[in-house]
Amino acid sequence: KINIDGELNEFSQADAISFSDNSGRGNDDNTITIKVLYDDTNLYLGYIVKDTKLNAKFNSLTESFWEDDCIELFLDTLHNKTSTMDSDDHHYIITLNNLISDSGRGTAGSIQYKILLNGTLNNDSDTDTGYTIELAISWSILGVTPEAGYTLGADFCNADKDGNDGYQYSD
């Protein structure tokens, strides 16, 4: 059983993928590492984001919350790789202000997650080191029963808002 505490201890032996924002839209680029585990009940994800300025100003899903520091996750449960969202696709956003969105499906409240900040939120006068987000998404929310040979499509994303440097996005 994985304890959703933001520490990512259970992910130590999991394979990782990493990417960086190199858009040139800001001076402080993020580096993102994602580790994935699963069991019969949940899909588990651990995001490690290296970010020197932690910012999140929006407090409502009716605002442009996706422009705050956040992680974004697209899941394609049929792995049919369509260019638009299908009924089997899921799109989750979790911001550093603890806003969580699931593109209107109404299941985000069922997702377990924990954010740990390594720095101070909305204080660009200091230097932060980043944050971790650990989450568990129930297979029942995804409408999937995992079995040998099952392939799940995923797009891992990161949004970064660094003061006046502008909004940066990478996946």
Side-chain angles (χ1 to χ4, degrees), residues 1-168:
K1 174 109 172 108
I2 293 182
N3 183 24
I4 304 302
D5 58 7
E7 294 287 340
L8 308 185
N9 297 327
E10 299 90 348
F11 290 84
S12 63
Q13 299 301 313
D15 290 336
I17 61 167
S18 295
F19 58 93
S20 295
D21 171 42
N22 55 7
S23 65
R25 289 175 285 195
N27 296 320
D28 300 303
D29 296 334
N30 286 2
T31 300
I32 301 90
T33 301
I34 298 114
K35 296 185 174 193
V36 180
L37 296 170
Y38 69 94
D39 60 21
D40 290 341
T41 307
N42 294 307
L43 174 66
Y44 302 97
L45 296 110
Y47 276 76
I48 304 161
V49 180
K50 302 294 183 196
D51 185 352
T52 59
K53 296 178 182 172
L54 304 181
N55 288 290
K57 67 179 182 177
F58 296 110
N59 295 303
S60 167
L61 295 177
T62 62
E63 300 174 281
S64 300
F65 63 93
W66 57 88
E67 292 183 3
D68 278 344
D69 284 352
C70 66
I71 59 120
E72 202 166 351
L73 171 65
F74 294 87
L75 296 175
D76 179 2
T77 63
L78 295 178
H79 197 243
N80 55 359
K81 304 177 185 178
T82 58
S83 60
T84 59
M85 295 283 288
D86 287 338
S87 61
D88 71 291
D89 297 337
H90 298 261
H91 174 206
Y92 300 105
I93 300 172
I94 301 174
T95 76
L96 297 190
N97 261 349
N98 280 301
L99 295 179
I100 182 167
S101 168
D102 68 349
S103 294
R105 288 182 179 265
T107 58
S110 302
I111 294 174
Q112 301 172 55
Y113 72 96
K114 178 69 176 180
I115 302 168
L116 289 182
L117 302 181
N118 297 311
T120 54
L121 191 60
N122 300 320
N123 180 2
D124 286 345
S125 67
D126 66 352
T127 301
D128 305 315
T129 58
Y131 59 93
T132 60
I133 299 180
E134 184 174 29
L135 61 149
I137 304 172
S138 166
W139 290 114
S140 63
I141 289 173
L142 298 175
V144 170
T145 302
E147 58 187 37
Y150 173 70
T151 301
L152 175 72
D155 185 10
F156 305 105
C157 310
N158 176 248
D160 184 27
K161 176 66 175 160
D162 288 339
N164 295 325
D165 282 347
Y167 165 70
Q168 302 172 70

